[in-house]
Amino acid sequence: VEKHKIPYHEKTLGQLFCDGSAREIVDIFERECRDAGVRIFLNTSIQEILNPSDFVLRARETEFRAPILVIASGGLSIPKMGATGLGYDVARQFGLAIREPQPALVPFVFSEEDRNRYCDLAGIAIDVVVSCERQQFREKMLITHRGLSGPAILQISSYWKPGQAVLIDLAPGLDVTAVLRATGAQRSITTLKAALQNFLPNRFANRWLDLHAAAGWTNSALAEFEHAVHNWTVIPAGTEGFAKAEVTAGGVDTDELSAKTMESRKVPGLVFIGEVVDVTGHLGGFNFQWAWASGACAGRTM
């Protein structure tokens, strides 16, 4: 990126983003390919792959032969961009183990009950800590017309399994009811609403009070309310699936590949790189980094 003088910036957690358009990254690779004399064949569907000695790829109108075959076909995410399971089919054909592909970095879909409670608030974003099992992320959460999205949700989705609960802290590091527990404080719904609106969007704060009103104004009741704010428990009905997933978790088992060359341990000359392999990163360019690094690793040893 620096070689091609593409300006970029770093966000939280080491995430790197182009200052301009992601198209600039595509342009980099197109230029590099042209400089290296790479031939690109578009609209060429592979019908069959054989391995009598060299690899033979048969397409409808042509045939390719080479001693090394690199599979860089990606995962199943965003099929409208052309994603297919070709890489997994090739791996299975040659006897390599596959970890079941799953949507990752993907929005959650609410249960019908939660959809009725919250989805009319679509568009509201909140700074939260989201956790599932032993993983947690602090970033923005976005309410959608079908459920939850935003960086925090996408991150935790890579660790979530169907049926698991997701805990959402709506007020990270804050003592929400401190103002009500102070000596001489007025304990009322008005005071509590004002406290919530200090850190939550007004519409969401009002809805939260409608659904989770404190059961009285004793210290124990306020403690229960505080706990609910820091432990909103959501059991997603599912995810938006591969259509909306930014990446695919699962894929070719890493135990099947050399860590130095990405070559199959079983089939000499057969190489798998990028998202087709069972490696999944966080948001912010880490999955691109894995694709490029694994590609460079394979290319430098050919």
Side-chain angles (χ1 to χ4, degrees), residues 167-205:
L167 292 181
I168 303 172
D169 184 347
L170 295 169
L174 298 178
D175 187 340
V176 178
T177 59
V179 64
L180 281 84
R181 301 196 313 274
T183 302
Q186 180 184 7
R187 298 189 177 190
S188 68
I189 193 67
T190 301
T191 307
L192 184 56
K193 179 184 292 188
L196 284 180
Q197 290 178 346
N198 281 332
F199 63 90
L200 290 175
N202 289 358
R203 289 172 60 212
F204 188 88

Side-chain angles (χ1 to χ4, degrees), residues 64 84 116 138 144 165 173 199 203 206 228 241 256 268:
F64 305 91
T84 73
N116 291 334
R138 179 169 183 169
T144 72
F199 63 90
R203 289 172 60 212
N206 293 340
E256 298 279 10

Side-chain angles (χ1 to χ4, degrees), residues 47-174:
Q47 307 296 313
E48 186 178 27
I49 298 177
L50 304 173
N51 183 218
S53 54
D54 284 354
F55 290 95
V56 179
L57 277 67
R58 290 178 177 168
R60 185 169 285 110
E61 298 178 353
T62 188
E63 185 174 284
F64 305 91
R65 291 177 177 268
I68 297 175
L69 173 61
V70 180
I71 303 297
S73 55
L76 297 173
S77 303
I78 318 182
K80 68 180 181 182
M81 291 177 61
T84 73
L86 173 65
Y88 309 132
D89 295 339
V90 174
R92 293 188 185 98
Q93 175 185 338
F94 289 98
L96 278 67
I98 300 290
R99 297 277 185 173
E100 184 65 28
Q102 302 286 342
L105 299 182
V106 62
F108 285 138
V109 174
F110 272 144
S111 65
E112 182 176 358
E113 181 180 21
D114 282 338
R115 195 158 53 243
N116 291 334
R117 287 175 167 178
Y118 301 107
C119 282
D120 62 321
L121 302 177
I124 288 178
I126 306 169
D127 181 43
V128 299
V129 171
V130 179
S131 58
C132 181
E133 293 293 324
R134 297 180 180 179
Q135 299 293 331
Q136 70 173 30
F137 297 94
R138 179 169 183 169
E139 292 195 62
K140 290 287 186 181
M141 176 188 75
L142 176 69
I143 299 176
T144 72
H145 291 290
R146 288 171 48 81
L148 296 173
S149 188
I153 297 299
L154 298 184
Q155 296 276 45
I156 206 67
S157 72
S158 296
Y159 300 91
W160 177 81
K161 299 292 187 295
Q164 285 184 323
V166 174
L167 292 181
I168 303 172
D169 184 347
L170 295 169
L174 298 178

Side-chain angles (χ1 to χ4, degrees), residues 237-300:
T239 72
E240 293 282 5
F242 287 114
K244 296 292 181 67
E246 296 200 11
V247 296
T248 301
V252 178
D253 194 324
T254 55
D255 288 343
E256 298 279 10
L257 307 175
S258 163
K260 293 183 178 180
T261 67
M262 305 305 297
E263 183 179 26
S264 165
R265 299 182 187 277
K266 296 176 179 176
V267 185
L270 181 60
V271 179
F272 292 84
I273 63 172
E275 193 178 348
V276 73
V277 181
D278 180 27
V279 175
T280 305
H282 291 172
L283 283 175
F286 295 101
N287 290 287
F288 286 127
Q289 173 63 24
W290 160 247
W292 301 332
S294 58
C297 178
R300 288 169 182 164

